[in-house]
Amino acid sequence: MNKTLSVSAIQNGTVIDHINSGQAFRIVHLLGLLDKKYKVTIGVNLPSKTMKLKDLIKIENYTLTNEEANDITIFAPNATINVIQNFEVVNKVITSLPASISEVFICPNPVCITHSEPVNTHFNIETQGKQVKLICKFCEKEFDRNQVTVKI
Ligand code: CTP
Ligand code: ZN
């Protein structure tokens, strides 16, 4: 079969596949992958059978924690997380949307106390149909997932 991968196969690590196109870099920041010095390859706007276009992240020699896997679903509800060992997919991680997320996001409300006091941000997460909403614990305002930025 004449089938080639846009991004080469990895020997060991994690492949986050079927990420909604445009969300790969937010997930890279969410997981802090740039600081951790893992070998990471990122594919964006790749063709997919099930989605119009998808993004994909391959992290070598690292397995995500359950918390990290769940946090990804805030931005990429259809992502599939594959654990690779010796070039084989040995596990497809089952994820669920977390109930809350602390520290990683900046509150988009410019007058929120989190900008002036040394507190950790905390957002409760709710779904409204297919929409994911993040509610700041401090200012109680509600935000769409595309409004929040990741602390880098
Ligand atoms: N993959 C990889 N390196 C490997 C094995 C797999 O990078 N050694 C990648 C594949 O390219 C794919 C993902 O891991 O992006 C999942 O692999 P696989 O389950 O074989 O692919 P599909 O059957 O297409 O996955 P799905 O069930 O998610 O459609
Ligand atoms: Zn706030």
Side-chain angles (χ1 to χ4, degrees), residues 107-109 112-114 123 136-141 143:
C107 182
N109 173 8
C112 180
I113 193 163
T114 54
F123 293 84
C136 175
K137 177 180 130 182
F138 294 94
C139 67
E140 296 179 343
K141 289 206 182 307
F143 303 98

Side-chain angles (χ1 to χ4, degrees), residues 45-78:
N45 297 330
L46 305 179
S48 160
K49 279 182 218 138
T50 52
M51 306 163 79
K52 250 193 209 159
L53 293 171
K54 68 172 184 182
D55 292 354
L56 173 151
I57 301 170
K58 300 193 181 192
I59 312 163
E60 291 188 48
N61 300 315
Y62 182 67
T63 308
L64 299 177
T65 63
N66 285 337
E67 195 185 346
E68 287 173 324
N70 288 339
D71 288 351
I72 288 170
T73 63
I74 298 171
F75 295 123
N78 305 316

Side-chain angles (χ1 to χ4, degrees), residues 58-107:
K58 300 193 181 192
I59 312 163
E60 291 188 48
N61 300 315
Y62 182 67
T63 308
L64 299 177
T65 63
N66 285 337
E67 195 185 346
E68 287 173 324
N70 288 339
D71 288 351
I72 288 170
T73 63
I74 298 171
F75 295 123
N78 305 316
T80 43
I81 300 174
N82 306 271
V83 180
I84 315 289
Q85 279 173 13
N86 212 8
F87 289 106
E88 299 289 328
V89 177
V90 294
N91 185 23
K92 291 194 179 260
V93 180
I94 312 280
T95 54
S96 58
L97 192 68
S100 66
I101 185 161
S102 297
E103 294 181 48
V104 284
F105 294 133
I106 296 168
C107 182

